[in-house]
Amino acid sequence: STEEARTRILAGMSQGMGPDILCGPTSDFYMMAEKGMLQDMEGLISEETKQELLPAVLQMGTVEDVLLGVTPTVHVETFAVSENLGKKEQWGLEEIIQLMEEGKLSGSLRTLYLLPDYSKPIYTVQFLLFENLGNSFLIDWQQGECHFEDERFVRFLELTGRDMSNQSAEDLQETDLIYAYMYYEYALIDFFTKVETEGLQIIGYPGGEGASYLCQDGGMVVVNKNCTDLEAVEFFLETLLGEEIQERNTALGTLGVRKLNPEVHLVRDEEGVARWMGVQDILNYEDGTTPLHQAAEFLETCVPEPRMFSDINIIISQELENMHAEGKSAEETAQIIDNRIQLYLDE
């Protein structure tokens, strides 16, 4: 089985054996890094190649200032709302709840480039809590206390409780809270077209710094600390991260890890009008740029997805599932979540 193979590989590495190169999930990457099982990759990737990679790609593979892994493909996650809601210094959970209360934001998350068009309530809550577990009224990490029984969280569960996941969305609405999950190039083009034509503002993940996330999409490629043929490893990594393979990723409908060069995929006619891949009409701005140029700049501002509060997320997910399956009230569910997470923090 897959788990047996994983156990065998990790056991071999701990005994000075195992494969020279392997690709695994982020959780295993951090575990192997913490146990000192990985080779420093700093000298295995040329400076020229590093300069061509998106900044967040190197950041997500760096643990305690040492480059220990690299992902071959990525996807992007962010949030957007109508410009008519005005600009805010920070879009935190309390601001989102207030706008839902006022009817200015829907309690159902409108998803782009994923199905269904509206996420289930459990995912709406998870996505919106992601940054806020570390930076909101919900958990006082300094005191080791949680406050999921707070009336604001209870109201949040009520406002996001309607399940619209079986409904098809039509045009974007001014009240839509949009979650965009972009894993191929044309999704980026379409998203920035919508930003321009639908009057949207990108707010990033609510809470924290309001950042948009660049996330690993094909596991983390790492090098065994016991590897002796580092010259072969260097050749492999340069090939994996090189232009030919990364361009092939784009052609196959995934996002590569190199900085996006818009003109490579745009074909301009005699009047200078650009089309994506020469066949797909896209917006052309007066200065000659396109939504793909906006996407290229955007990708370089994205940050690595932070490490999740996995145990806390599991507790919240379990109780939300029980809430909707058993018809429990938001207040009862919030109290159960609060009790369980407080117990977790106490331990």
Side-chain angles (χ1 to χ4, degrees):
S1 69
T2 301
E3 187 58 33
E4 289 173 342
R6 172 184 175 276
T7 301
R8 186 171 61 252
I9 289 171
L10 293 175
M13 291 177 68
S14 66
Q15 297 169 14
M17 300 179 288
D20 290 337
I21 303 170
L22 65 155
C23 183
T26 306
S27 56
D28 281 351
F29 166 66
Y30 285 118
M31 181 272 293
M32 290 186 286
E34 290 167 1
K35 292 188 175 182
M37 302 167 74
L38 303 180
Q39 176 75 42
D40 183 350
M41 296 170 67
E42 189 67 37
L44 301 177
I45 303 173
S46 69
E47 289 302 319
E48 181 181 359
T49 297
K50 288 177 192 169
Q51 290 298 317
E52 292 300 319
L53 299 180
L54 292 166
V57 170
L58 293 174
Q59 294 165 12
M60 73 175 67
T62 300
V63 179
E64 295 183 358
D65 298 324
V66 181
L67 181 61
L68 296 175
V70 66
T71 183
T73 56
V74 292
H75 70 265
V76 186
E77 298 178 23
T78 195
F79 283 78
V81 297
S82 170
E83 285 184 337
N84 292 335
L85 293 178
K87 301 291 183 182
K88 295 184 183 296
E89 288 187 13
Q90 184 180 38
W91 290 82
L93 183 60
E94 292 181 75
E95 286 76 16
I96 296 293
I97 294 172
Q98 182 63 38
L99 288 168
M100 288 180 177
E101 284 274 23
E102 296 171 359
K104 295 178 180 178
L105 271 185
S106 169
S108 299
L109 203 60
R110 173 74 162 91
T111 57
L112 294 181
Y113 320 114
L114 284 176
L115 291 175
D117 292 335
Y118 295 100
S119 70
K120 287 182 172 294
I122 183 173
Y123 299 123
T124 297
V125 172
Q126 284 182 326
F127 290 143
L128 291 174
L129 286 186
F130 191 85
E131 275 279 9
N132 289 286
L133 289 177
N135 184 28
S136 76
F137 65 89
L138 291 172
I139 301 179
D140 184 336
W141 291 97
Q142 197 168 20
Q143 298 295 325
E145 297 176 351
C146 65
H147 302 285
F148 288 88
E149 86 293 353
D150 189 291
E151 63 181 14
R152 289 168 291 183
F153 183 67
V154 174
R155 187 62 181 138
F156 176 56
L157 294 185
E158 293 172 343
L159 291 165
T160 57
R162 182 185 176 196
D163 189 354
M164 294 178 59
S165 60
N166 60 348
Q167 299 184 28
S168 297
E170 299 183 4
D171 296 336
L172 291 177
Q173 305 297 316
E174 190 169 298
T175 56
D176 282 340
L177 176 57
I178 298 165
Y179 168 71
Y181 182 107
M182 297 167 280
Y183 58 95
Y184 54 97
E185 190 170 277
Y186 194 74
L188 286 165
I189 294 174
D190 184 71
F191 178 66
F192 278 94
T193 300
K194 284 182 167 61
V195 168
E196 184 71 21
T197 60
E198 302 282 349
L200 302 179
Q201 57 175 317
I202 299 171
I203 64 172
Y205 262 78
E209 300 296 322
S212 299
Y213 294 152
L214 194 74
C215 312
Q216 66 82 19
D217 212 34
M220 294 296 288
V221 175
V222 298
V223 180
N224 190 337
K225 191 173 184 178
N226 306 309
C227 176
T228 56
D229 193 355
L230 295 181
E231 187 174 336
V233 170
E234 184 176 351
F235 177 79
F236 172 83
L237 291 173
E238 287 292 326
T239 303
L240 177 69
L241 303 173
E243 190 171 357
E244 181 179 349
I245 294 294
Q246 291 299 312
E247 280 297 315
R248 191 177 301 169
N249 284 341
T250 300
L252 293 173
T254 59
L255 280 180
V257 297
R258 294 171 72 91
K259 293 174 183 175
L260 182 60
N261 181 354
E263 295 301 327
V264 170
H265 296 155
L266 296 177
V267 178
R268 296 183 183 273
D269 62 20
E270 295 178 354
E271 298 178 353
V273 176
R275 290 180 174 81
W276 186 64
M277 299 298 187
V279 295
Q280 183 68 51
D281 290 338
I282 61 174
L283 276 182
N284 280 245
Y285 303 124
E286 290 184 2
D287 62 359
T289 62
T290 69
L292 192 56
H293 291 81
Q294 293 173 303
E297 293 181 6
F298 169 74
L299 287 173
E300 294 192 40
T301 68
C302 291
V303 303
E305 177 184 31
R307 295 177 71 170
M308 296 175 63
F309 300 94
S310 55
D311 293 334
I312 292 177
N313 276 314
I314 289 171
I315 292 172
I316 294 171
S317 298
Q318 289 173 343
E319 295 308 328
L320 288 177
E321 287 177 359
N322 292 338
M323 172 183 169
H324 292 284
E326 300 173 15
K328 292 181 179 178
S329 70
E331 187 173 4
E332 181 184 3
T333 300
Q335 188 62 63
I336 295 172
I337 290 173
D338 190 72
N339 291 340
R340 289 189 62 187
I341 293 179
Q342 187 61 59
L343 183 62
Y344 171 80
L345 294 175
D346 291 342
E347 292 174 346

